């Protein structure tokens, strides 16, 4: 902006967005100074470079305000985790399933894990059945992002909320 621009001629855009035309750099800078504004290079790669007469401080303030508004409106998706056991009782299963439903409705991804202890690992099919039943029961709220898979002593499945498009 202003004296940092290194071009002999510039295509000048006025303060109200009107095209002024191709002007020598010094003349364009003098026009900006006369209006008590800044000369800002908005397209430095163009031939000749495009410069605009504007209040740079106000422009930066507006940009920061837009960025702040965009950050405020974006939703971060968290990954919540719910642990199940192989020998889980019905009421415990229902409670954990309600938590999964709550997390999905809030828009978070859910990592469902079945933890195996001791010799329970030999009955991995029971853990598979628990996760498959869970996926069927919450199918209208989510998509299975990752199918149940055995990793070490845990079987893990990841559920993502359905996007409303």
């Amino acid at each position: 902006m202003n004296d940092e621009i290194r071009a002999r001629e510039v295509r000048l855009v006025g303060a109200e967005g009107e095209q002024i035309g191709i002007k020598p750099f010094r003349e364009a800078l003098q026009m900006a100074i006369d209006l008590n504004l800044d000369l800002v290079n908005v397209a430095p790669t163009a031939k000749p470079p495009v410069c605009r007469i504007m209040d740079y401080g106000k422009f930066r303030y507006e940009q920061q305000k837009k960025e702040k508004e965009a950050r405020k409106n974006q939703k971060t998706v968290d990954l919540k985790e719910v642990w199940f056991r192989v020998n889980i009782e019905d009421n415990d299963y229902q409670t954990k399933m309600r938590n999964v439903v709550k997390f999905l409705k809030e828009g978070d991804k859910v990592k469902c894990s079945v933890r195996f202890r001791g010799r329970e690992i030999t009955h991995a099919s029971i853990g598979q059945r628990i996760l498959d039943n869970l996926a069927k029961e919450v199918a209208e709220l989510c998509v299975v992002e990752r199918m149940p898979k055995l990793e070490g002593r845990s079987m893990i499945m990841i559920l993502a909320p359905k996007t409303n498009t």
Side-chain angles (χ1 to χ4, degrees):
M1 78 180 228
N2 294 342
D3 292 324
E4 298 168 3
I5 299 171
R6 297 284 169 233
R8 287 186 204 154
E9 289 185 329
V10 294
R11 183 175 303 277
L12 192 59
V13 178
E16 302 299 320
E18 72 279 2
Q19 294 286 330
I20 297 175
I22 297 174
K23 297 282 185 184
F25 168 71
R26 289 283 164 216
E27 187 179 329
L29 184 60
Q30 190 57 47
M31 289 174 72
I33 291 170
D34 292 344
L35 293 171
N36 214 13
L37 295 171
D38 298 308
L39 185 65
V40 180
N41 196 349
V42 291
T45 57
K47 298 287 184 205
V50 179
C51 293
R52 183 168 182 187
I53 296 174
M54 67 169 78
D55 184 353
Y56 188 70
K58 183 178 178 183
F59 173 73
R60 286 293 301 143
Y61 172 73
E62 293 293 329
Q63 290 291 104
Q64 288 171 346
K65 214 162 113 177
K66 285 179 188 174
E67 289 170 8
K68 185 176 180 183
E69 190 68 28
R71 277 195 305 272
K72 187 172 84 172
N73 290 336
Q74 81 184 31
K75 169 81 172 96
T76 58
V77 177
D78 292 332
L79 181 67
K80 306 282 186 166
E81 187 166 11
V82 179
W83 285 98
F84 293 90
R85 290 293 315 273
V86 174
N87 52 359
I88 192 167
E89 295 296 324
D90 280 342
N91 289 334
D92 294 336
Y93 174 81
Q94 293 300 323
T95 302
K96 288 179 186 260
M97 191 190 72
R98 279 196 302 271
N99 284 337
V100 169
V101 169
K102 180 180 77 171
F103 294 147
L104 290 169
K105 285 184 178 175
E106 289 172 359
D108 297 324
K109 289 184 179 183
V110 182
K111 179 180 178 182
C112 303
S113 305
V114 176
R115 186 180 287 164
F116 298 100
R117 285 166 55 187
R119 290 191 214 139
E120 290 175 350
I121 197 77
T122 59
H123 302 289
S125 60
I126 297 172
Q128 179 82 32
R129 203 172 327 129
I130 290 170
L131 292 178
D132 287 341
N133 287 342
L134 178 70
K136 282 181 201 159
E137 291 184 36
V138 295
E140 68 276 353
L141 293 174
C142 67
V143 290
V144 178
E145 193 171 270
R146 189 165 138 212
M147 294 303 289
K149 182 179 175 188
L150 194 63
E151 290 182 1
R153 291 205 158 270
S154 300
M155 185 171 283
I156 296 171
M157 173 177 72
I158 296 179
L159 303 173
K162 281 187 179 174
T163 54
N164 297 331
T165 54

